[in-house]
Amino acid sequence: MAGVRIIERELNIVGLTHRYGPERVIEDIDLSIAAGEAVALVGPSGSGKTTLLGIAAGLITPWEGRVHSTFARPAMMFQEPRLLPWQRTLDNIALGLKALGHPRRERRNAAAALAQRLGLDIADLDKFPAALSGGMQSRVALARALAIAPDLLLLDEPFAALDVGLKHELHALLAAERQRSGVAVLMITHDVMEALRLADRIVVLAGKPGRIVATTEVGRDLDARDDGWLLARTAEFLRTPNLRAAFALPPLPTAERVAS
Amino acid sequence: MTSSIVSPHRRLVEAAAATGRYLWGGMGSLAGLALFLALWEATAQQLGSLILPTPREAFATLAQMLTHGSAWSDLAISARRALAGYALAVLAGSALGLAAGASITASLLSRPIVTLLIGTPPIAWLILALLWFGAGDGTPVFTVFIACFPIVFIGAMQGTRTLDDRLRAVAQAFRLPLGMRLRDVYLPHVVSYLFPGWITALGTAWKVVVMAELLSTSDGVGAALAVSRSQLDTAASMAWIVALVSALLAVEYLLLEPIKRRVEAWREFASSSES
């Protein structure tokens, strides 16, 4: 497989700085994502995460620095589902396939098959997005992103507004998709547990302007990340001084730090 | 996988249900209309038919005008003028409005001009048109155009002004080609602003054309109204008014409103499923 591939897929960001008017939002960002790798950008609100993702997606032209991507088919999920309100669920899922020029019948079949895999009801496919619950809309947005068989998935906190159960379910779907297709992921989140659940590497962004203050390898197989491990690892990660500083958490009492 | 996810049978049932709902919803309007006719009848009986003919007299006169008189040709002449001015306003107003909405500068510049156009009474335009175009078709057509143009223009400008940046980002992220961006992302939004403007403008066109004809031409419904006024023929006047209003209601509720419902089916769901 690797021998057949001529271009190595990767996303490279070097020396990136961006500003809105006089206000710098991110500064000196170096970040690279290899094929099949999942990177989570974690940071407090206002640390420029969304800007960084927008630049990676090519939606924002950076002020300074170099962004180079050889991924052929990036797909994106936004903070809100952002479905087209005037198109039925099935056509919303098939949107990217239509852009790629797949014929109507073929793309609708593919979309329906994917929708079923993601746990959407057949009956829901004929509804307009406004008739779906928030959780279902997120599912449709995920299906729309996965429909084009992306090699890079850009996620802008898409699960932030969902309840724990739905979040858990969509995390599992995403993890399964990673293992099935080997899609690379760049996700931003302020949920440390979500990052530990899905990513290979966690990059902590903090400050104003946002800079990378820490990088952690998760180093555990995706299927081995059960709830027990996840809770323990999250607790451990939250004790990291860099992370506490990034989120402006009060320092831990000394006794507890010793105990850990 | 089968492609019968959306069975034609189900679509048919949905369409029938929607039509049923539409007709049932019309019951309220019909009741209102009946009430109006009752009030008209009662008032007419009080005042006498020289001042206000009863509905039955008005309808009888209308039927008589339609079968023996020149009512159809007068209606056709007025319709032709109204539609000509309306079509010009829809074309120019939509195109210029969409363009103006695309640029902040253009919309800022055009806003006071449009306010001015809307604020100027059609009768003032009519006087100018009489001076410019004389007593031909030009006067009513121009007056209709200038009365409808700002209504269409504002709708179109709001349409492009309010395009959702978030959906634009979706279009960009999924690399939609230009044609698809226009058709699938921008057009449905813009149409939902254009359509109400078009409907309002059509009503205005119909009203303004009669007013323009009343003062400027020798044929058409307006001119016929002028004649019936000069002959103190209240029954004929009422008959013409009934004809005008019926024509407008028929076009609006039998043609435009069903189209609007179809084009904006997604809105119905948006309002009914707030959960």
Side-chain angles (χ1 to χ4, degrees):
Chain A
M1 187 67 182
V4 184
R5 198 172 286 162
I6 300 161
I7 310 165
E8 188 57 46
R9 304 287 182 204
E10 61 173 359
L11 172 72
N12 251 312
I13 296 174
V14 184
L16 181 74
T17 295
H18 191 69
R19 56 172 77 196
Y20 293 117
E23 187 195 357
R24 280 172 304 164
V25 276
I26 44 176
E27 196 164 63
D28 285 337
I29 305 284
D30 296 310
L31 183 72
S32 68
I33 296 149
E37 192 185 21
V39 176
L41 281 168
V42 176
S45 304
S47 56
K49 301 187 301 282
T50 298
T51 304
L52 181 50
L53 197 79
I55 290 171
L59 301 179
I60 302 172
T61 312
W63 182 264
E64 204 179 301
R66 206 169 59 84
V67 180
H68 185 66
S69 173
T70 51
F71 285 106
R73 257 189 210 187
M76 186 159 179
M77 269 182 92
F78 297 86
Q79 258 167 34
E80 328 80 46
R82 294 198 192 181
L83 305 172
L84 298 181
W86 40 79
Q87 290 199 351
R88 290 169 198 271
T89 303
L90 195 66
D91 293 315
N92 261 298
I93 297 176
L95 184 78
L97 292 173
K98 188 177 176 189
L100 290 169
H102 289 239
R104 182 181 157 88
R105 194 189 177 86
E106 183 194 315
R107 65 172 186 258
R108 286 172 71 97
N109 286 345
L114 180 63
Q116 273 197 318
R117 208 170 80 221
L118 296 186
L120 278 160
D121 245 8
I122 288 267
D124 288 340
L125 298 184
D126 195 31
K127 290 182 183 160
F128 287 102
L132 300 177
S133 68
M136 280 300 162
Q137 291 189 21
S138 294
R139 230 177 270 249
V140 174
L142 177 63
R144 177 176 70 183
L146 294 180
I148 60 170
D151 52 5
L152 173 65
L153 202 50
L154 300 157
L155 307 178
D156 184 0
E157 307 191 54
F159 310 128
L162 302 179
D163 69 66
V164 261
L166 267 171
K167 227 185 233 190
H168 189 276
E169 201 184 331
L170 287 173
H171 287 167
L173 285 170
L174 204 58
E177 190 61 28
R178 275 201 63 202
Q179 288 184 311
R180 204 183 60 83
S181 70
V183 58
V185 177
L186 174 59
M187 61 184 296
I188 61 182
T189 176
H190 47 234
D191 179 351
V192 172
M193 204 190 277
E194 181 170 277
L196 285 163
R197 172 81 183 82
L198 294 168
D200 301 323
R201 184 150 49 96
I202 298 176
V203 174
V204 182
L205 204 63
K208 269 189 188 209
R211 297 161 172 276
I212 293 177
V213 293
T215 303
T216 311
E217 299 286 337
V218 178
R220 190 178 175 94
D221 278 347
L222 268 179
D223 12 333
R225 299 179 192 179
D226 52 66
D227 283 1
W229 175 86
L230 211 53
L231 287 169
R233 186 76 174 81
T234 305
E236 183 195 332
F237 193 55
L238 281 173
R239 287 171 202 280
T240 329
N242 270 342
L243 193 80
R244 295 194 77 80
F247 281 92
L249 290 168
L252 289 167
T254 343
E256 209 181 323
R257 209 182 300 167
V258 173
S260 72
Chain B
M1 281 312 299
T2 62
S3 60
S4 65
I5 305 139
V6 184
S7 72
H9 176 67
R10 188 169 153 206
R11 277 281 160 79
L12 200 70
V13 171
E14 272 182 9
T19 312
R21 271 199 302 278
Y22 182 54
L23 291 178
W24 182 244
M27 292 304 280
S29 315
L30 281 180
L33 202 60
L35 183 66
F36 174 75
L37 287 175
L39 285 173
W40 176 4
E41 175 80 41
T43 319
Q45 284 180 1
Q46 288 295 316
L47 297 177
S49 66
L50 192 65
I51 295 173
L52 183 67
T54 61
R56 202 177 314 171
E57 284 165 343
F59 283 109
T61 314
L62 178 60
Q64 207 262 331
M65 285 182 340
L66 287 174
T67 43
H68 302 296
S70 63
W72 284 117
S73 74
D74 277 327
L75 279 168
I77 289 168
S78 294
R80 189 192 70 221
R81 290 171 179 151
L83 287 179
Y86 174 69
L88 286 174
V90 161
L91 289 176
S94 305
L96 292 175
L98 292 176
S103 128
I104 295 179
T105 320
S107 33
L108 283 176
L109 281 176
S110 54
R111 197 170 287 276
I113 301 176
V114 169
T115 314
L116 197 103
L117 287 181
I118 285 193
T120 311
I123 194 85
W125 288 113
L126 178 61
I127 301 302
L128 288 175
L130 269 169
L131 295 172
W132 294 336
F133 300 100
D137 264 18
T139 298
V141 170
F142 172 81
T143 314
V144 166
F145 167 78
I146 208 78
C148 295
F149 174 82
I151 302 172
V152 178
F153 183 92
I154 288 228
M157 187 169 79
Q158 290 296 351
T160 33
R161 211 57 258 123
T162 53
L163 278 175
D164 192 346
D165 273 337
R166 296 175 307 167
L167 291 185
R168 209 180 299 215
V170 171
Q172 208 177 342
F174 283 90
R175 300 178 174 179
L176 303 196
L178 182 66
M180 227 181 121
R181 258 174 228 223
L182 293 177
R183 206 171 42 247
D184 291 353
V185 182
Y186 299 153
L187 191 67
H189 175 91
V190 166
V191 164
S192 70
Y193 278 82
L194 270 179
F195 223 91
W198 289 352
I199 292 181
T200 314
L202 186 68
T204 305
W206 198 224
K207 282 179 262 187
V208 167
V209 80
V210 174
M211 183 201 72
E213 284 173 345
L214 188 86
L215 295 175
S216 71
T217 59
S218 55
D219 51 5
V221 177
L225 264 174
V227 170
S228 63
R229 184 200 68 92
S230 65
Q231 296 171 349
L232 295 180
D233 187 348
T234 5
S237 300
M238 279 315 279
W240 279 119
I241 293 168
V242 166
L244 288 171
V245 174
S246 312
L248 186 62
L249 289 182
V251 171
E252 182 155 341
Y253 286 101
L254 297 179
L255 182 70
L256 293 176
E257 188 65 25
I259 295 178
K260 187 173 162 217
R261 276 176 181 246
R262 202 180 144 66
V263 171
E264 297 186 13
W266 55 276
R267 273 185 193 273
E268 188 185 334
F269 290 90
S271 57
S272 69
S273 68
E274 208 53 62
S275 54

